[in-house]
Amino acid sequence: MNVAKAKSPKARTAPGKGGATFPTSDQILQFIRDSPAKVGKREIARAFHIKSNDRIRLKQTLKQLKADGLLDDRKDKPDMDPARLPSVLVVDIIDQDEDGELLARPSAWDEGKPLPKIYLSIDKPHHGGLAIGDRVLARLNKIGKVDYEARTIRKLQNSPTRVLGRYEMSTTGGRLRPVDRRAKKDYLLNEDQANGAEPGELVLAEVLSGQRGPRLGLKPVRVLERLGSAKGLKSFSLIAIHEHNLPDEFSHAAIDLAKQAGPVDLGTREDLRNIPLVTIDGADARDFDDAVFAAPDDDPKNSSGWRLTVAIADVAHYVRAGDALDREAKKRGNSTYFPDRVLPMLPEALSNGWCSLVPNQERPCLAAHLRINAQGELIGYKFRRALMKSAARLTYEEVQQAIDGNPNETTAALVGPVLAPLYQAFRALDGARAERGALDLDLPERRVIVNEAQTACRIEKRDRLDSHRLIEEFMITANIAAAKELERLRQACMYRIHEPPDPIKIEALAEVLDSFGYRLARGQVIRPKNLNGILAKFQGKPESPMISELILRSQSQAQYNPKNRGHFGLALTHYAHFTSPIRRYADLLVHRALVSGLKMGPGGLEKGAGAEFEQIGEAISACERRSIAAERQAVDRFTAAFLADRVGAAMPGRISGITRFGLFIALEESGGEGLIPLRALTDDYYDHDRSSHSLTGRRWGRSFRLGDRVSVKIEEVEPLTGSVILSLIDSGQENGGRENSGQEKSGQARRKDSGKRRGKKRIKKRK
């Protein structure tokens, strides 16, 4: 007996009857997967201690698993032709495309064969709870040579074993309302299972397996942990932390080790205490791990060139490979930032203490001494362990104001000797960036501001100042130097790589550009300069936001890897993160590699550590993605809370996503995102064209495209899930909801158009 999707065998047993419950379907499947040999009912019964009176139940369970396509009696996987898949098939959801549609693959598939493309329809309400990783039994409809549209018959995974939700009390008793917006049902929570929780609290509960409540078939749960009131804003970050299983407490050993940290002597370190290094960060920053200084190069061979110093906190001095602090940092991978709190990678005694370059305090650092020419090109570098003393803690805003002629008490004395040289060096670096053609996507950013009492929040547009770009360019230059130095030393390096876009995504981009009369030559090697040319072509036009969004979506995801594959977005051949070892584990590894390679004392890499870099790179890349998802979801909830008292209000927005189940709208005022469900578009039947990212009405020809401006009304807001439901205001927007000539197409014309639309799926609105 084989499972449809095998894993590497590894024996495992689980308790059965006689003091334990009957095994779940997942436990049985896992046992079959992990078994080194073929197993049957006898082996399963023996492994789970299933007695004779439960053998019939086991037989029924295996029969159902087989019917679901999860078991296959044949040793090899089914030999399916991607062009002729069966009409009913078990599929795994593997990805989500740029339009938000779920993509699936057959659960049993030969890895050597090309995959068919299966678009999973979720336009029915009871199918909306699907996500990547789910397995479903689906009915397939062929729409292309190897393209299929699938409709869910039923979801095959077991229900979650733990649920995060809000405890509520009604006339019929207690309920747990999940915070996951995909969940479609509440759970039964009796008072005797509430563990002292009060209605209105956010709780983590376990589903009581094998039981079903008396009311509406709701499954009962038992509270495991009380997380406080669900009404306050602070609950939003807690939800994200628990949903993504983010570590939020340090071990006692790590905390004790951090408390033992202290100052360092100058010793063999370079003395930078008299150089006016300054930190420039956001006004709400609490840790300062980088300081900068610039001065004209006194080498006559580098006329009009600059010497830069980028000093970074010497975290490797305090966090040694394999110790309790290192284990905690590796587990987190990076710090995670929410609007109301930070989950730091290192305990506060280090992140806000000895590893923070606070003003007028001696701190150990790793200094990158950089030389650039007048054109901003890096022509020399060296790294030294040093001792420094920050001259000032500055914010982006006050630095920019000082350069613009409005210095305050802190910056007045620094404008001439410190800030002016920094800006002159920055202009050279900025010129070099433009010359090499780094991708220049200027996408608007918003930030959530929460008041001290955490009772209200507001949304602000994040200004992009030259002071931000200055620090960015100084950090990029130091990162380039670190990568090149480690390559020179033939030392293990954790590169930050960003590979070129997927040709399939570029082809999709080219199809959209064709519709606007812009031809992107097929088959050419795409470089950032090509994409910058497209952005320049559409600058100032209504389509500009749409084009920027499509170019962003065409990019591959940056990651950490010990193999240098360059950085496409920055147009660089060598790049490694070096400048933030307080908050990124990759940077700490780069510091250790430099310490070892340059023989700068203790705190370097352990012998043979490079052999683990590939595995570590995958792990910390996953940690980064986890943090980004948690941060985004928390911001969605804070934004929903901001919009909660604006239900019924009208506001402008842009279409940011188009799917077969509706339009995603980015609200211009708040930067939040909401959904106009397809059922709210009651004027026509709509076709979804994936290639042009549009919805087009069959009868009247009205079209909605990515980037269109629209006017919407807020209909529903649920802060706890971050859900915002919108409706379209039909007010003749400048380009949202484009109309045809105003006459209904003839039946013959509609049939002709329909025949031409290959790959387009008919979507029937739900009234």
Side-chain angles (χ1 to χ4, degrees):
M1 187 178 293
N2 299 317
V3 288
K5 191 174 182 182
K7 294 186 179 179
S8 56
K10 184 172 62 175
R12 185 176 78 105
T13 59
K17 234 175 171 175
T21 59
F22 188 85
T24 66
S25 297
D26 279 353
Q27 287 175 321
I28 293 173
L29 286 171
Q30 188 64 47
F31 173 75
I32 297 171
R33 284 191 187 102
D34 295 343
S35 177
K38 188 173 180 179
V39 299
K41 289 191 293 290
R42 180 181 301 175
E43 289 78 11
I44 296 170
R46 185 181 299 120
F48 290 91
H49 310 293
I50 296 173
K51 305 302 180 184
S52 57
N53 56 338
D54 271 338
R55 293 293 178 96
I56 295 176
R57 184 179 174 187
L58 174 61
K59 184 178 180 180
Q60 292 172 338
T61 301
L62 294 174
K63 184 178 179 180
Q64 185 61 51
L65 290 173
K66 188 175 181 180
D68 288 342
L70 298 174
L71 292 179
D72 184 10
D73 287 331
R74 290 174 295 175
K75 192 157 190 173
D76 298 324
K77 293 181 180 180
D79 185 20
M80 286 188 284
D81 183 347
R84 289 192 294 273
L85 294 181
S87 60
V88 176
L89 188 64
V90 176
V91 299
D92 293 329
I93 302 174
I94 58 171
D95 201 359
Q96 188 173 31
D97 71 5
E98 64 270 17
D99 287 329
E101 295 204 60
L102 295 175
L103 303 178
R105 55 166 285 169
S107 294
W109 193 256
D110 185 348
E111 296 294 342
K113 286 186 176 182
L115 276 172
K117 186 166 280 188
I118 302 173
Y119 300 99
L120 195 65
S121 175
I122 57 173
D123 58 337
K124 293 184 179 180
H126 61 282
H127 293 160
L130 298 177
I132 295 171
D134 285 349
R135 175 169 290 183
V136 299
L137 185 65
R139 190 175 302 279
L140 271 58
N141 176 40
K142 194 172 183 180
I143 58 174
K145 187 175 181 181
V146 290
D147 294 352
Y148 298 83
E149 182 180 41
R151 292 186 178 275
T152 306
I153 297 174
R154 68 176 178 272
K155 187 175 174 180
L156 298 178
Q157 275 93 342
N158 285 343
S159 299
T161 57
R162 291 191 173 192
V163 182
L164 186 67
R166 178 173 57 204
Y167 178 28
E168 295 182 352
M169 189 63 69
S170 67
T171 55
T172 58
R175 286 194 180 193
L176 182 69
R177 177 152 295 175
V179 298
D180 186 345
R181 70 178 71 178
R182 298 171 302 174
K184 299 302 176 185
K185 283 190 176 182
D186 294 344
Y187 290 83
L188 177 66
L189 180 52
N190 291 324
E191 193 173 356
D192 59 347
Q193 300 284 13
N195 194 21
E198 298 289 338
E201 283 191 28
L202 187 67
V203 299
L204 180 66
E206 66 172 339
V207 180
L208 300 177
S209 60
Q211 301 182 34
R212 190 165 291 278
R215 300 199 312 272
L216 304 177
L218 299 181
K219 292 185 177 181
V221 293
R222 175 172 57 237
V223 171
L224 297 175
E225 186 178 354
R226 299 168 61 187
L227 302 175
S229 173
K231 295 180 180 179
L233 297 179
K234 65 180 182 180
S235 66
F236 301 151
S237 297
L238 288 174
I239 292 170
I241 290 167
H242 279 76
E243 277 188 335
H244 294 274
N245 198 27
L246 293 170
D248 60 345
E249 291 184 358
F250 290 98
S251 66
H252 292 302
I255 292 173
D256 290 342
L257 205 54
K259 288 179 179 178
Q260 294 171 22
V264 301
D265 296 327
L266 179 63
T268 58
R269 291 176 179 269
E270 182 180 11
D271 192 350
L272 301 180
R273 289 174 292 184
N274 292 323
I275 294 180
L277 288 150
V278 295
T279 63
I280 305 176
D281 296 276
D284 55 352
R286 295 177 60 194
D287 51 70
F288 319 112
D289 53 2
D290 57 82
V292 293
F293 176 76
D297 194 347
D298 54 7
D299 186 344
K301 295 180 181 179
N302 189 30
S303 177
S304 301
W306 296 89
R307 290 184 181 270
L308 320 178
T309 297
V310 177
I312 308 298
D314 190 357
V315 178
H317 171 79
Y318 294 106
V319 182
R320 301 298 173 87
D323 69 11
L325 287 167
D326 183 59
R327 292 194 297 272
E328 291 287 339
K330 186 190 292 187
K331 179 168 66 176
R332 287 160 172 76
N334 49 259
S335 298
T336 306
Y337 295 86
F338 299 109
D340 62 334
R341 73 189 70 204
V342 176
L343 292 186
M345 189 180 79
L346 297 172
E348 188 174 357
L350 288 179
S351 59
N352 299 139
W354 292 106
C355 292
S356 187
L357 308 180
V358 295
N360 303 313
Q361 298 291 321
E362 292 184 359
R363 291 289 186 265
C365 66
L366 195 57
H369 296 294
L370 314 168
R371 294 178 63 225
I372 62 171
N373 61 21
Q375 291 74 45
E377 299 166 328
L378 182 64
I379 60 173
Y381 49 82
K382 63 180 180 180
F383 291 85
R384 296 287 185 270
R385 262 185 160 162
L387 191 66
M388 63 159 287
K389 184 187 291 186
S390 171
R393 177 269 197 267
L394 306 176
T395 68
Y396 293 115
E397 291 76 15
E398 65 183 345
V399 167
Q400 192 63 52
Q401 288 169 7
I403 286 295
D404 291 343
N406 299 299
N408 60 20
E409 187 176 342
T410 303
T411 57
L414 299 172
V415 173
V418 177
L419 300 184
L422 285 173
Y423 269 78
Q424 292 171 48
F426 156 63
R427 291 188 186 100
L429 292 171
D430 194 42
R433 179 190 181 102
E435 179 63 27
R436 70 173 187 267
L439 187 58
D440 191 17
L441 279 173
D442 188 17
L443 297 170
E445 264 192 90
R446 309 277 170 165
R447 63 172 181 165
V448 179
I449 310 296
V450 182
N451 66 12
E452 292 183 3
Q454 294 191 341
T455 56
C457 64
R458 67 182 191 276
I459 312 293
E460 290 183 353
K461 183 179 178 181
R462 192 185 295 273
D463 292 326
R464 176 78 167 156
L465 305 172
D466 276 351
S467 53
H468 290 95
R469 298 173 61 229
L470 181 155
I471 291 299
E472 182 179 294
E473 289 304 319
F474 272 63
M475 299 303 113
I476 288 173
T477 307
N479 290 338
I480 296 169
K484 288 187 172 183
E485 179 71 341
L486 289 176
E487 183 178 271
R488 183 188 72 82
L489 295 167
R490 298 188 177 183
Q491 187 72 29
C493 179
M494 187 63 77
Y495 293 98
R496 178 67 167 180
I497 66 169
H498 180 226
E499 297 187 272
D502 186 329
I504 295 175
K505 292 186 176 181
I506 291 297
E507 177 62 28
L509 174 64
E511 289 181 11
V512 176
L513 294 174
D514 282 347
S515 68
F516 288 105
Y518 185 98
R519 179 165 177 76
L520 181 64
R522 265 68 164 181
Q524 69 170 312
V525 176
I526 294 295
R527 305 186 188 282
K529 282 186 177 181
N530 303 125
L531 302 180
N532 286 338
I534 297 170
L535 292 168
K537 176 76 174 178
F538 287 92
Q539 188 174 9
K541 296 183 179 180
E543 298 83 13
S544 180
M546 168 189 170
I547 300 301
S548 295
E549 186 69 27
L550 288 175
I551 288 177
L552 176 65
R553 293 181 185 188
S554 73
Q555 300 304 299
S556 60
Q557 194 164 37
Q559 57 183 294
Y560 295 107
N561 198 301
K563 296 175 183 176
N564 184 15
R565 294 172 183 162
H567 198 291
F568 175 84
L570 294 173
L572 295 170
T573 58
H574 295 74
Y575 195 65
H577 277 164
F578 159 78
T579 54
S580 294
I582 289 180
R583 61 184 181 90
R584 293 189 303 229
Y585 192 73
D587 302 52
L588 177 55
L589 293 177
V590 169
H591 276 231
R592 287 175 179 164
L594 288 168
V595 168
S596 294
L598 295 171
K599 297 179 172 52
M600 292 192 287
L605 292 176
E606 291 184 312
K607 189 176 181 180
E612 300 179 359
F613 268 32
E614 185 169 357
Q615 182 181 357
I616 294 173
E618 291 176 358
I620 59 179
S621 295
C623 287
E624 179 184 49
R625 292 191 294 272
R626 177 181 66 176
S627 290
I628 290 171
E631 291 166 352
R632 184 183 297 121
Q633 288 181 12
V635 168
D636 285 347
R637 291 184 170 99
F638 277 99
T639 305
F642 172 74
L643 295 171
D645 60 355
R646 291 165 173 78
V647 171
M651 54 186 62
R654 282 188 180 273
I655 298 177
S656 59
I658 298 179
T659 71
R660 64 184 67 225
F661 52 86
L663 303 172
F664 286 102
I665 308 297
L667 302 173
E668 292 185 1
E669 176 190 344
S670 66
E673 192 173 63
L675 174 70
I676 300 177
L678 192 65
R679 63 178 179 271
L681 302 176
T682 58
D683 62 320
D684 208 340
Y685 296 90
Y686 283 86
D687 288 309
H688 177 216
D689 187 344
R690 294 176 46 77
S691 63
S692 65
H693 299 272
S694 66
L695 279 181
T696 303
R698 279 178 167 255
R699 185 175 185 185
W700 304 110
R702 188 180 192 185
S703 176
F704 297 96
R705 299 187 65 169
L706 198 67
D708 281 354
R709 277 200 177 98
V710 291
S711 240
V712 295
K713 183 171 75 170
I714 299 177
E715 298 288 351
E716 302 173 26
V717 176
E718 175 47 77
L720 211 59
T721 63
S723 174
V724 179
I725 303 298
L726 308 169
S727 63
L728 187 69
I729 297 177
D730 228 345
S731 56
Q733 303 84 340
E734 66 175 85
N735 55 8
R738 296 173 172 84
E739 306 286 348
N740 67 359
S741 61
Q743 297 178 339
E744 182 179 355
K745 293 183 180 180
S746 69
Q748 182 180 4
R750 289 200 306 274
R751 286 192 294 274
K752 186 177 180 181
D753 287 348
S754 179
K756 288 181 179 179
R757 284 194 287 263
R758 294 185 60 88
K760 298 181 183 180
K761 281 74 71 178
R762 184 171 184 264
I763 303 174
K764 186 175 181 180
K765 61 176 177 53
R766 296 185 300 281
K767 292 185 179 178

